[in-house]
Amino acid sequence: MSTRNNLLIAGCYAGTLVLGMILGPKFQKENSNSRNGTFIPFLTGGRDGKVEKVISLIRDNYVDPVNVDSLQDLTINELLKNLDPHSAYLPPVDARLFSEDLEGNYNGIGIEYHLLNDTLLVTGVNKNGPAAKAGLSEGDRVIQIDGNNIAGKDITNKKIVELIRGRRGTAVRLTIRRAGLKAYKTVSVIRDKISVSSIDVAYLLTKDVGYVKISRFGAHTDDDFIAELERLKKEGMKSLVLDLRENGGGYLSAATALSDQFLGEKKLIVYTRGAHEPRTDYFATPEGKFEKGKLVVLINENTASASEIVAGAVQDLDRGTIVGRRSFGKGLVQEQFNFGDGSALNLTVARYYTPSGRSIQRPYDEGPGPYFEEVWNRHKNGELNSDRKHLMDSLYKKGRIYKTASGRLMYGGGGIMPDVYVPIDTLGYNEMYFALNAKGVLNDFLYNSLIREHAPDSLDEFVKTFTLSPGHYQQILALASAKGIKYNPGLFKVAERHINIDMKAMLARYYFGELGFYKVLNSTDNVVSRSLALLK
């Protein structure tokens, strides 16, 4: 029996050997001619192994050269498409720029610029920055950066930032064209740490009403705000207009710290909760610097995330009045996970809820619908009949409507619905106006002509008296014609008011910085004027 078993085993081995000798060359030939290579790792590896193997095969066998890193990024982005719209993969450059913007400092040269006809025009120079020390001045046109031509190229702001920023202490060479000089001039600027305030502008709208504009919530927003708040108080401020329009968010900690300045001790500011994150409550401390004065918060459709935390807390706790248009509706908390190559993953880990329990996050694929917004606005105006009031009661029970601390009803279908709604002023924003902007006519006119005519001494006098003349409008029309824009007298006449405001604001920015820019815009802003009326 033992001998028979041994002979059977030996026969199997011999058969396998013969089969291998016959089929081996065939498989070897197929393998060497195959663009796919061996399939064994696909059978033995996990999902991660499959992804890496496919990328490896493409890198080693594809007919054309391929950037393998871009394939890895694509794979990650494809995965993230199955999640929420705000979870995102950031390549190394994007991750660095994202972090620098929120941290409020970066290594650069300290200039403000505008892209004019694919040319970088210097519109502002930090007085104590590296560019000023190297001799750059407003009005210089940058032709090259470290030998890279940017004039006449399809250059983007992102590309310019990548070229100008770099390691502290390193030099960047700028080739510039300056008015009055025939030859180009090359300037070497040593990069240094540049600190940028989180506050766009802060000044008094009236003798006792302050205005503070914040466009992002960074690492130093709270400290910057306190400094400006104390200055405005010394100048006589009693009430405050906080402008969070166009504020896309930032650090959660910065939003809670700013909210703390307005709320009494132990007031709930916001809480967060996720499938893997237990509920975390954020409370106000006794350190608030503006807990008593009248407060108005301005929001619009681009007010999102961290800025909605502030608006939601102020509204829920009846601390102030929200004015403007409904906010974006991004009630998600992202945590950044860094990879070893400088890239990062911003992954949504929780939702945040206002003190009354509202989740501000809109549905990813749809809003609450115009019908409900119409009902809501009519409800606030006292125009609903008994049937519609029954609908409001039903929505309240379903969690679509919430109550403030004093019992006022609030909309909870996504975003922050303002207490005072101010519709956008669309009159004058027509085809002619958009064409002039899209083809750079207004920018050309401003930087090629208008700034050479005016050198105002006083900002207040400029705000009161400056206006475009009929001759200025004729120059604009001549530039428009040269760029193929068809003249429509009726549309142009209606758009003149907005053209005048735009030119005035940008000219004020050129000579007086952000203070000049916002003073001009706010002087004709319906939302600001409505806020001042409320504060009276």
Side-chain angles (χ1 to χ4, degrees):
M1 182 66 70
S2 176
T3 302
R4 184 182 304 168
N5 288 339
N6 290 337
L7 289 173
L8 181 60
I9 293 172
C12 290
Y13 282 140
T16 302
L17 179 60
V18 171
L19 186 62
M21 293 174 66
I22 296 173
L23 298 179
K26 176 178 175 63
F27 285 159
Q28 175 61 33
K29 182 178 180 180
E30 289 182 355
N31 187 57
S32 63
N33 291 334
S34 174
R35 294 176 181 174
N36 296 324
T38 177
F39 56 83
I40 293 178
F42 287 92
L43 301 178
T44 59
R47 293 181 180 179
D48 293 341
K50 291 182 181 180
V51 172
E52 293 300 324
K53 181 59 180 177
V54 170
I55 292 174
S56 176
L57 292 173
I58 294 173
R59 180 191 61 213
D60 296 337
N61 299 281
Y62 191 63
V63 62
D64 294 320
V66 175
N67 184 343
V68 174
D69 290 338
S70 68
L71 291 181
Q72 291 175 326
D73 296 351
L74 179 62
T75 302
I76 296 172
N77 288 327
E78 290 295 324
L79 291 174
L80 294 179
K81 283 184 179 179
N82 296 299
L83 305 179
D84 64 277
H86 306 294
S87 291
Y89 170 74
L90 302 178
V93 172
D94 292 346
R96 177 171 57 84
L97 295 179
F98 179 83
S99 177
E100 289 175 348
D101 287 342
L102 290 181
E103 289 298 320
N105 56 71
Y106 61 91
N107 294 326
I109 62 176
I111 64 169
E112 295 178 5
Y113 61 86
H114 178 78
L115 284 177
L116 178 64
N117 292 336
D118 295 327
T119 300
L120 191 158
L121 176 71
V122 178
T123 59
V125 180
N126 188 323
K127 294 180 180 179
N128 300 314
K133 295 176 182 177
L136 258 70
S137 61
E138 296 173 353
D140 286 343
R141 298 176 184 241
V142 180
I143 309 301
Q144 291 183 338
I145 301 176
D146 279 336
N148 296 291
N149 288 323
I150 60 171
K153 301 285 185 179
D154 187 16
I155 197 74
T156 63
N157 277 305
K158 179 182 175 183
K159 184 62 176 178
I160 289 173
V161 170
E162 291 177 16
L163 291 171
I164 289 181
R165 295 186 186 181
R167 287 188 297 110
R168 188 177 187 180
T170 60
V172 56
R173 290 181 299 106
L174 305 179
T175 301
I176 64 172
R177 186 175 184 178
R178 180 171 294 173
L181 297 180
K182 294 182 179 180
Y184 291 158
K185 181 179 180 180
T186 299
V187 179
S188 181
V189 186
I190 305 300
R191 297 182 177 97
D192 202 353
K193 183 178 179 180
I194 306 296
S195 296
V196 181
S197 174
S198 298
I199 310 300
D200 295 83
V201 69
Y203 70 97
L204 290 179
L205 288 169
T206 67
K207 65 178 182 179
D208 60 356
V209 178
Y211 172 87
V212 176
K213 169 74 173 176
I214 303 176
S215 60
R216 68 184 182 281
F217 283 97
H220 306 290
T221 297
D222 187 42
D223 293 335
D224 293 339
F225 175 77
I226 291 174
E228 296 292 355
L229 186 72
E230 295 299 331
R231 178 179 65 82
L232 292 176
K233 281 183 177 179
K234 291 179 180 178
E235 295 177 9
M237 184 190 76
K238 298 292 189 297
S239 304
L240 175 65
V241 175
L242 176 65
D243 194 345
L244 298 182
R245 291 175 295 179
E246 307 300 321
N247 186 319
Y251 290 139
L252 170 64
S253 58
T256 56
L258 182 70
S259 302
D260 189 10
Q261 303 305 323
F262 309 122
L263 304 175
E265 183 180 6
K266 296 183 180 180
K267 293 289 186 180
L268 177 62
I269 298 171
V270 67
Y271 66 89
T272 62
R273 186 171 58 203
H276 305 286
E277 296 283 337
R279 171 169 170 162
T280 302
D281 293 347
Y282 297 82
F283 293 97
T285 70
E287 308 301 325
K289 303 294 184 182
F290 196 73
E291 296 182 5
K292 300 297 182 182
K294 291 183 179 180
L295 176 64
V296 170
V297 179
L298 310 186
I299 63 173
N300 67 1
E301 55 280 350
N302 293 319
T303 300
S305 191
S307 53
E308 291 175 292
I309 291 177
V310 179
V314 169
Q315 187 177 59
D316 280 19
L317 300 173
D318 294 301
R319 173 60 187 88
T321 305
I322 311 299
V323 179
R325 298 184 295 278
R326 187 181 57 169
S327 63
F328 183 85
K330 179 181 178 294
L332 302 176
V333 182
Q334 277 79 46
E335 184 174 344
Q336 189 170 96
F337 297 87
N338 298 309
F339 300 112
D341 61 352
S343 61
L345 176 65
N346 279 359
L347 186 66
T348 298
V349 297
R351 285 181 170 83
Y352 65 72
Y353 300 83
T354 66
S356 66
R358 286 187 292 171
S359 172
I360 300 172
Q361 179 61 42
R362 287 197 198 196
Y364 300 150
D365 56 350
E366 63 181 34
Y371 171 75
F372 179 73
E373 288 189 41
E374 177 190 354
V375 174
W376 175 253
N377 286 322
R378 290 183 61 192
H379 157 72
K380 291 202 300 181
N381 294 331
E383 301 173 358
L384 296 185
N385 58 31
S386 58
D387 291 338
R388 294 293 176 87
K389 288 183 179 179
H390 176 73
L391 172 63
M392 297 298 294
D393 292 338
S394 174
L395 291 170
Y396 177 71
K397 292 178 181 178
K398 292 179 181 179
R400 297 293 295 275
I401 300 176
Y402 293 76
K403 291 183 178 180
T404 69
S406 64
R408 289 189 302 113
L409 293 181
M410 298 177 298
Y411 171 54
I416 300 294
M417 184 69 80
D419 302 309
V420 178
Y421 179 78
V422 182
I424 189 170
D425 180 11
T426 58
L427 184 63
Y429 292 115
N430 52 39
E431 294 178 9
M432 189 81 185
Y433 175 85
F434 291 129
L436 293 173
N437 276 282
K439 294 200 174 183
V441 171
L442 299 183
N443 285 329
D444 282 357
F445 171 66
L446 174 70
Y447 291 110
N448 289 331
S449 301
L450 200 57
I451 59 174
R452 299 179 182 179
E453 297 180 13
H454 295 272
D457 296 323
S458 166
L459 172 57
D460 290 338
E461 186 66 22
F462 175 82
V463 173
K464 291 178 182 178
T465 62
F466 177 83
T467 187
L468 293 179
S469 68
H472 288 142
Y473 288 119
Q474 290 302 316
Q475 292 181 56
I476 292 173
L477 288 174
L479 287 171
S481 178
K483 293 197 174 187
I485 299 176
K486 187 177 180 180
Y487 174 56
N488 184 310
L491 293 179
F492 187 78
K493 186 65 178 177
V494 175
E496 280 185 0
R497 183 173 71 91
H498 290 298
I499 294 171
N500 184 71
I501 293 171
D502 288 354
M503 293 297 94
K504 185 175 180 178
M506 295 189 70
L507 192 62
R509 171 181 273 164
Y510 184 83
Y511 286 109
F512 302 104
E514 294 302 291
L515 177 61
F517 180 75
Y518 283 104
K519 272 200 169 186
V520 170
L521 289 186
N522 289 339
S523 67
T524 59
D525 190 328
N526 291 338
V527 180
V528 172
S529 60
R530 187 67 181 274
S531 300
L532 289 173
L534 287 169
L535 290 172
K536 287 182 180 179

